[in-house]
Amino acid sequence: MDWRQIYQERLTTADEAVKHIKSGDRVVVTHATGESTLLSDALVRNAAAYKNVEIVHMVAMGKAEYCLPQYSENFRHNSLFIGGTTRQAVADGRGDFTPVFFSEIPDLFRTKLHPNVVLLNLSKPDEHGYCSFGVSVDYTKPVAEIADIVIAQINKNMPRTLGDSFIHVSKLDYIIEEDTPLIELQPPHIGDVERAIGENVASLVKDGDCLQLGIGAIPDAVLGFLKDKKDLGIHSEMFSDGVVDLVRAGVINNSKKNIHRGQSVATFLMGTRKLYDYVDNNPEVAMMPVDYVNDPRVICQNDNLVSINSCVQVDLMGQVVSDSVGLKQISGVGGQVDFVRGANMSKGGRTIMAMPSTAAKGTVSKVVAFIDEGAAVTTSRYDVNYVVTEYGIAELKGKTLRDRARALIEIAHPNFRAPLIEEFEKRFKTTY
Ligand code: COA
């Protein structure tokens, strides 16, 4: 049958489509900016029809109303990476967090968390009947291949990204044609602290490096300080508007990459319309599933892979906490460890943790003698090469415990150095 006929036959409305979800089902929502807010809204409107529907979502950038207390009988959220809209539900016990490396999420769905339903947000079909997953290929494409029911919004605002990023119309069970705006992430505010961190990180980046940029304000801010570099490449789970500026300025050209030469590789995108228009139908960008992009065995095939991520706390041994504040789960590991592993395996590769020296409006130090009780180490002390704050760069690789502690104290905020020095002298039985 011609795909156009299939398409017409499967057209329905969002409210009709979500009626096919049953109580007890596991529903997977597209990651981050790829979420179909049209379908999420319909799901929540239909809440009274469900009992205990499990909503599995990675970063929820929409309203995540399924997390609200009034829907606790209808939905239970299982987060693979907590964000601002889901944090409270997990903290209150109305939702759960499942620790998992981003690279392993597709396999988790294949082996442990079978998806009954997936809610997609896709580009218009091309002349062969293929729609693109656009800004979110990550776990979304692998899940769409195995879910019992595939519900898809077809949206002209979803860019047609290239790479391993397509699904045929015949694989969609229910189709809703509606052009809603995509979720956007505005560029971060760059203050003096971010500027100093950006400059410090940029000093560690060499011409020809291949970059991974993590989630959060700091990795994004770093991009603004790379304007004088040459021949940079991108192999990153995500990127944002800052990459577009550097491509247009000729700084990023991917010319030195060993794999995907000439292309920026990512698995999801977070930015504004400027980014979404840039990636539309653009062969300079390859979007692939996360079990490929974030596989350390793939990452390390590019030489000089530099991973730039952010964190919450670093202790004097160099243990990095990135996804919890004490017992409170604030985010997830995402691709941090995938890329730290890949960068360490890459010839000439380097791992950088960049963070402001303080948090909570300057009231707490991020360099600490001991990580908070209940916090979980995200990246081990064996894996971190550099820690960067606005006060400088601590190189940890190859340093003794004593020397790495000293290097970390040097980049702590001056207001918090005294207790760290006291702990240093007690621990190492030597003067600082
Ligand atoms: N003590 C107390 N609170 C702290 C803290 C600390 N040491 N460090 C951070 N926080 C709080 C902040 O105050 C903020 O709280 P608020 O939202 O109430 O203001 C919250 O934690 C988030 O911190 P912020 O610095 O605003 O986050 P960010 O958007 O820059 O992201 C991480 C930083 C660490 C949360 C983020 O990089 C992350 O989740 N990393 C792990 C995953 C990863 O790196 N993946 C790789 C690519 S996806």
Side-chain angles (χ1 to χ4, degrees), residues 81 87 212-218 237-238 268 309-313 322-323 325 330-336 359-360 364-366 372:
F81 189 109
R87 210 168 274 156
Q212 173 254 337
L213 298 148
I215 222 160
I218 297 295
E237 68 187 34
M238 55 87 73
F268 74 98
N309 290 291
S310 196
C311 56
V312 166
Q313 276 187 335
S322 305
D323 58 319
V325 174
I330 64 155
S331 57
V333 61
Q336 184 171 117
V364 293
S365 176
K366 289 188 152 205
D372 284 359

Side-chain angles (χ1 to χ4, degrees), residues 275-320:
L275 173 69
Y276 307 151
D277 288 342
Y278 164 70
V279 298
D280 187 36
N281 230 358
N282 188 344
E284 283 174 6
V285 178
M287 296 290 291
M288 318 272 198
V290 70
D291 46 355
Y292 175 79
V293 173
N294 279 36
D295 183 336
R297 291 164 298 194
V298 172
I299 295 167
C300 73
Q301 289 178 44
N302 281 308
D303 295 341
N304 305 309
L305 195 298
V306 180
S307 79
I308 304 168
N309 290 291
S310 196
C311 56
V312 166
Q313 276 187 335
V314 179
D315 75 7
L316 289 181
M317 296 188 282
Q319 302 194 94
V320 172

